[in-house]
Amino acid sequence: MNATGVALALFIGVLLPLQALINASLGRQTFGPVFASLASFAVGTLVLLAWWLLTRPVFVPAAFAKVPWWAWTGGVIGAVLVASTTVLVPRLGAASLICLVVAGQLAGSMVLDHFGVLHARQPVDAVRVVGLLLVVAGALLVVKPWQPAGG
């Protein structure tokens, strides 16, 4: 496993709750969580456009004809994720939100890997199931759903 890739993934993990908190703050100070999510995507789009242009891409419009319809749905998923985290972080807190998101991501990833959805199949084994159960247990310990809110 590439150490640089692992470090980058961990760094991104640190930034995700910060993004949710920043967006929630922007929503409180402006026109609500959906506007804050829109602003986040607009700024992100400008950053990605600049990055893409700086890498001197070759733009071939005919390539669009080869792309299946579902390949464009990642943006919908991203919008739902950003808007949902913007709405939920003030209600759940950053740690609870991220723990629940990570547990959901891991469970979903294991199903997608097992069935080889859009990539090579990687069957679920007992060790991965134990890892998932440990993540779910950790999320429960952070979220503490058995305690009343604010307790």
Side-chain angles (χ1 to χ4, degrees):
M1 196 170 284
N2 180 328
T4 304
V6 170
L8 182 58
L10 288 171
F11 179 68
I12 291 166
V14 169
L15 291 180
L16 288 176
L18 181 59
Q19 178 195 30
L21 290 164
I22 289 169
N23 287 347
S25 177
L26 179 62
R28 278 191 310 275
Q29 296 175 57
T30 58
F31 308 105
V34 175
F35 174 82
S37 301
L38 176 64
S40 178
F41 267 85
V43 171
T45 298
L46 293 175
V47 168
L48 290 173
L49 179 61
W51 185 357
W52 183 63
L53 291 172
L54 289 171
T55 60
R56 298 181 180 249
V58 176
F59 183 74
V60 181
F64 289 130
K66 298 177 185 175
V67 178
W69 69 268
W70 52 262
W72 301 99
T73 61
V76 174
I77 295 167
V80 169
L81 171 68
V82 170
S84 296
T85 60
T86 303
V87 168
L88 291 173
V89 76
R91 297 175 189 177
L92 299 176
S96 294
L97 172 70
I98 294 302
C99 280
L100 294 168
V101 168
V102 168
Q105 285 176 322
L106 184 54
S109 297
M110 286 179 64
V111 170
L112 296 172
D113 280 353
H114 183 75
F115 292 105
V117 177
L118 302 177
H119 68 292
R121 190 171 184 270
Q122 297 175 13
V124 172
D125 60 23
V127 174
R128 285 182 148 201
V129 170
V130 169
L132 172 61
L133 292 175
L134 289 171
V135 168
V136 169
L140 289 172
L141 290 173
V142 171
V143 175
K144 299 183 273 188
W146 54 86
Q147 287 187 342

